Amino acid sequence: MFVAPLLALVAVWAVVVPLFDVNPRIFPSVASVANAALDTIRDGSLFRHIGASLLRVGLGTVIGVVTAVPLGIAMGVSPAISSFLTPLFRFFSVLAGIAWIPIATLWFGYGFGAIVFVIFNAVFFVVAYNTLLGVSTIPMTIRNAAASLGAGRWVMLTEVLLPGALPNIVTGVRTGLGFAWRGLIAAEMIATNVGLGYMLFVARDFYRTEVIVLGMIVIGLLWLLIDRLLLVPLERATIERWGLVRRT
Amino acid sequence: MKTLSLKNLQKTYFDPYAGSQVTAVHDVSLDVEQGEFVSVVGPSGCGKTTILNMIAGFIPYSGGEILLDGIAVNGPGPDRGVVFQSFALFPWKTVLDNVSFGPKIRGVPKAERDRIAREYLELAGLSHAADRYPNELSGGMQQRVGVVRALANNPAVLLMDEPFASVDAQTRMTLQEELTRIWQQRKPTVIFITHDVPEAVFLANRVVVLSKGRVLDQIKVDLPRPRVWDDLMQDETFKRLSSQVLQMVRSA
Ligand SMILES: Nc1ncnc2c1ncn2[C@@H]1O[C@H](COP(=O)(O)OP(=O)(O)OP(=O)(O)O)[C@@H](O)[C@H]1O
Ligand SMILES: [Mg+2]
C-alpha cells in the first residue's frame, strides 16, 4: 500500500540529481546509495547498526510500557490523583525524548544506559498519560456492571480497566514510539559508537552523503515497518473488532 | 417469603453547585417476596433511580435499611443483578463471554459456564450471536444480552432501571413479552423501574407508585400469564389497572 508513493519519490530523485548535476557532497545519486547499501550489507555493518538501534528501542519501550500502564491505571482509578497529576504528565509528555539527552548522559554516561533511558522516557510519560485518560473514559455503568456481577479489585483491573483503556494505551504506545524513535537517532549521534544515528553522524565527517541518505531511508522504512507490522495489526486485532476505535 | 426489604430508606444528596442538601428519597419502606415481579413507577425526579442504585450498592444511603435475606446491603455484589438502560455490556468481550462473566468470577469451570451462558442465550433467542461482539448487535439484541447476563449469575434480585427505554416501540413490546416468558420460566425476583405505565402493569405482579421520595400507593396485578400484547391490549382488567395507575402517577 505505502510502496507506490515511496517509489514515486525515488523516481523523482533519480531524475533530478543527474538533471541538475548535483555535487555528490551535497546530495548522492540513487546508484551510489544503492551501492552503499550493498557494501554495508555485505560487510555486516548495516545490520550491526540496525540491531543496536532496535535493541535499544525495544528495551526502552518495554520498560516504559510495563511501568507506565500500571501507574496510569492506578492514577485513572482515582479522580483526585488523576486531576492532580494530569498537568504534570502533559508537561513531561511535551519534553519526552530529545530534551532529556544531555541530562541522561550526565546520569548514565555516554552509552547504552543513556540511550535506553531517553527511549524509556519518551514512551513512559506518553503511555502513562494515555492510560490514565483511557481509564477515566470507561463509563461508570460498565464498572458498576462488573461490580454487580461480582468483580473484585483484581478482576476489575484485568477484565475491565485494562481492556477498557487499551485503545488509549495503543495510541499512547504509537505516539510514544514515534517520539522514542526520533530521540533514539538524536541520542545515538551523541552518546554512542554504534547504531543508525551514529552511522549518520560519522558519515557526515567524511562527506559520505550516500551513507547519510541510506541511513535516513533505513530509519524511515524501519519506522513504517514497525508501525504497519506491529502497531496497526495490534489495533485491528482488538480495538476495531470491539468497535472502540475513534476514527481519526 | 420476603427476600428484599427496604425500611424507612432515605437519601440526601449534597449538591455542590447550590451548596445545599437535596433529599431525593424521604422515607421508603417496601417488602418484596421471593419470585415477585415489582414494577416501580413515578414522575421524573421522584427518586426511582436513586432507590435502585442504593439497592444495587452503587451509592450509599443516608438513613434506614436495605436488607437482602435479612442481611444489610453494603456495596455492589453478585446477589443483586443489574440491567442498565445503556446496556453496559463489555465491548471487548463476545456475547458469550459477557454472559459467562459472572459465573467465571465465581470460579465456575470454563465448560460449565459456557454451557450455562449458551442455555441463557438460547432462552433469549440469541444462540446465533454467541461469538459476536456487542457493537455488532442491534440495541434490542444488546439489551437481551444485558438481561441474560444478569440472570446467568443467578442473583437473588434482578434490578432493572428503564431497561427498554432506549429501543424502538416495536422491539420494546417484543422484549416485554420475552421478559415475562423468561420470568415465568425462572421466577427471579425483579424490581423493574419504568416511566411507561402499560409496561409496568403488563410485566408486574405488583405496581408501586412513588411520589417525591415516598411510596404513594401500590396495586396488585392479577392478570393471567402468559401475557402477550395481542390479548392484553383489549383486556378490560388490563385497561382498568393501567388507567388506575396512570391516575395515581398523574396525581403524584
Ligand atoms: N448525584 C446527585 N446529586 C445531587 N442530586 C441528585 C443526584 N442524583 C439525583 N439527584 C436528584 O435526586 C432526585 C431524584 O433523582 P432520580 O434520578 O432518583 O429520579 P428518577 O425518579 O430516577 O427520575 P427519572 O424518572 O427522570 O429517571 C432528583 O431531584 C435529582 O435531581
Ligand atoms: Mg431514573
Side-chain angles (χ1 to χ4, degrees):
Chain A
M1 262 280 99
F2 58 85
V3 174
L6 292 181
L7 284 181
L9 184 66
V10 173
V12 172
W13 172 23
V15 171
V16 167
V17 169
L19 190 68
F20 294 96
D21 195 16
V22 178
N23 182 339
R25 282 198 177 192
I26 303 295
F27 208 84
S29 67
V30 176
S32 68
V33 172
N35 272 331
L38 285 177
D39 288 346
T40 49
I41 288 170
R42 219 173 278 135
D43 71 11
S45 62
L46 183 62
F47 292 118
R48 202 159 39 83
H49 290 306
I50 291 177
S53 291
L54 286 182
L55 177 68
R56 290 161 183 157
V57 160
L59 191 65
T61 302
V62 168
I63 300 174
V65 171
V66 165
T67 49
V69 169
L71 186 80
I73 287 180
M75 294 186 313
V77 170
S78 154
I81 300 181
S82 89
S83 63
F84 180 78
L85 288 178
T86 298
L88 272 185
F89 274 79
R90 282 231 192 92
F91 177 79
F92 281 110
S93 297
V94 172
L95 282 182
I98 300 174
W100 285 82
I101 295 171
I103 204 149
T105 56
L106 285 181
W107 291 351
F108 296 95
Y110 287 87
F112 191 73
I115 298 172
V116 172
F117 175 79
V118 168
I119 308 290
F120 158 80
N121 190 284
V123 171
F124 177 81
F125 288 105
V126 181
V127 172
Y129 176 62
N130 277 278
T131 307
L132 179 165
L133 215 62
V135 169
S136 56
T137 53
I138 298 171
M140 200 57 208
T141 51
I142 296 236
R143 286 160 74 167
N144 280 342
S148 66
L149 287 164
R153 275 165 182 270
W154 179 248
V155 173
M156 190 66 84
L157 180 71
T158 56
E159 305 256 9
V160 179
L161 301 182
L162 207 54
L166 201 61
N168 291 74
I169 294 176
V170 173
T171 308
V173 172
R174 263 182 105 172
T175 324
L177 257 178
F179 285 144
W181 194 240
R182 294 177 193 98
L184 169 86
I185 305 304
E188 284 179 341
M189 291 186 183
I190 298 165
T192 184
N193 53 17
V194 65
L196 290 167
Y198 174 78
M199 181 175 128
L200 289 189
F201 200 65
V202 170
R204 184 223 168 268
D205 284 349
F206 298 95
Y207 300 100
R208 300 280 305 271
T209 53
E210 75 280 9
V211 175
I212 295 178
V213 169
L214 172 67
M216 290 165 68
I217 291 172
V218 170
I219 288 164
L221 281 182
L222 272 180
W223 172 251
L224 285 181
L225 286 178
I226 292 172
D227 200 51
R228 291 293 137 137
L229 299 184
L230 218 70
L231 301 177
V232 173
L234 182 67
E235 236 170 37
R236 289 255 161 75
T238 54
I239 300 155
E240 282 184 21
R241 183 92 212 263
W242 306 338
L244 293 178
V245 104
R246 295 104 167 134
R247 297 226 162 260
T248 45
Chain B
M1 195 184 83
K2 79 180 179 208
T3 178
L4 181 72
S5 173
L6 315 185
K7 290 186 182 155
N8 307 108
L9 193 60
Q10 201 233 326
K11 175 69 187 181
T12 305
Y13 287 110
F14 178 73
D15 186 339
Y17 300 103
S20 60
Q21 311 275 342
V22 186
T23 301
V25 177
H26 284 273
D27 179 5
V28 168
S29 296
L30 185 69
D31 284 332
V32 180
E33 299 286 318
Q34 173 133 35
E36 195 181 7
F37 196 121
V38 176
S39 290
V40 178
V41 295
S44 191
C46 71
K48 303 182 294 292
T49 297
T50 302
I51 292 174
L52 199 90
N53 283 342
M54 287 191 284
I55 302 172
F58 300 148
I59 56 174
Y61 38 100
S62 319
E65 271 189 314
I66 301 176
L67 300 176
L68 185 60
D69 295 324
I71 299 162
V73 157
N74 183 17
D79 49 357
R80 284 149 291 140
V82 182
V83 181
F84 298 83
Q85 181 177 343
S86 60
F87 318 144
L89 303 178
F90 308 117
W92 46 87
K93 288 181 182 295
T94 61
V95 165
L96 186 74
D97 289 344
N98 263 280
V99 178
S100 65
F101 184 66
K104 180 181 177 185
I105 299 174
R106 273 186 283 128
V108 177
K110 172 126 179 79
E112 172 66 6
R113 65 178 188 249
D114 282 359
R115 192 193 57 72
I116 296 172
R118 282 187 196 284
E119 187 187 312
Y120 275 97
L121 286 174
E122 164 118 54
L123 197 63
L126 279 171
S127 297
H128 62 285
D131 297 321
R132 314 250 290 267
Y133 283 86
N135 74 304
E136 300 163 347
L137 307 182
S138 68
M141 288 164 85
Q142 291 191 43
Q143 194 57 301
R144 286 183 179 93
V145 177
V147 172
V148 294
R149 177 179 69 175
L151 279 174
N153 210 21
N154 211 3
V157 235
L158 189 60
L159 307 170
M160 309 175 82
D161 188 359
E162 303 192 38
F164 305 148
S166 51
V167 298
D168 64 275
Q170 213 63 38
T171 310
R172 191 180 315 146
M173 290 170 93
T174 316
L175 286 172
Q176 289 158 353
E177 288 176 345
E178 282 178 12
L179 183 61
T180 53
R181 179 174 54 76
I182 292 172
W183 179 83
Q184 248 190 304
Q185 286 183 27
R186 305 269 155 168
K187 288 285 157 63
T189 312
V190 182
I191 298 188
F192 189 102
I193 286 178
T194 178
H195 266 119
D196 181 339
V197 169
E199 173 177 74
V201 175
F202 178 86
L203 293 168
N205 303 124
R206 175 161 57 123
V207 178
V208 174
V209 183
L210 291 187
S211 165
K212 303 189 185 80
R214 293 192 168 81
V215 175
L216 182 71
D217 213 337
Q218 321 197 10
I219 194 163
K220 280 239 162 261
V221 181
D222 283 325
L223 294 165
R225 293 178 189 266
R227 297 179 186 167
V228 285
W229 279 113
D230 281 348
D231 298 346
L232 283 193
M233 223 115 59
Q234 319 299 336
D235 188 276
E236 287 308 318
T237 323
F238 176 77
K239 284 198 253 180
R240 185 174 43 78
L241 288 171
S242 296
S243 68
Q244 239 174 311
V245 174
L246 194 62
Q247 262 159 23
M248 290 178 194
V249 173
R250 297 196 61 184
S251 72

